[in-house]
Amino acid sequence: MFIGAAEIMVILLIVVLVFGADKLPEIARGLGKGMRQLKDATNDIKHEVTKSAKESNIIDTDVTKSVTDELNKVKDDLEDFTGSLKRNK
């Protein structure tokens, strides 16, 4: 799932051709909101699982570490993807 600069440019060109340049900011805004909701949902799930495990006294550090590692990988992948979409200030 490694996308280079050339592939991103081709995808952006296709998006501009299909939707038009005036719709591009709206699409980017929608993608940003969707990714934010995904991040919030994963954080909520993580907190609920941790809370439930603490209440039941079944916290397994190996399992929680592996879940945390997987969530961090997903977060890094999302940040890599959104990095190309963020505006430079």
Side-chain angles (χ1 to χ4, degrees):
M1 173 136 179
F2 296 104
I3 299 176
E7 289 88 0
I8 291 173
M9 293 302 289
V10 170
I11 292 169
L12 287 175
L13 178 66
I14 292 170
V15 168
V16 169
L17 288 174
V18 171
F19 295 107
D22 56 334
K23 295 284 185 180
L24 202 56
E26 184 179 327
I27 292 169
R29 196 174 306 115
L31 279 172
K33 286 181 182 178
M35 285 186 235
R36 181 64 174 174
Q37 288 176 348
L38 179 66
K39 182 179 177 183
D40 291 343
T42 55
N43 284 337
D44 288 344
I45 291 170
K46 180 180 171 184
H47 289 295
E48 286 297 320
V49 168
T50 304
K51 180 181 168 185
S52 177
K54 283 182 181 178
E55 289 174 355
S56 301
N57 293 327
I58 56 168
I59 295 178
D60 186 0
T61 56
D62 293 334
V63 173
T64 56
K65 182 170 176 21
S66 66
V67 169
T68 303
D69 290 342
E70 288 299 318
L71 286 173
N72 286 335
K73 287 179 188 177
V74 171
K75 180 181 173 185
D76 291 340
D77 289 342
L78 281 174
E79 287 176 355
D80 289 343
F81 178 72
T82 59
S84 63
L85 297 176
K86 290 182 181 176
R87 293 185 187 175
N88 293 330
K89 292 183 180 180

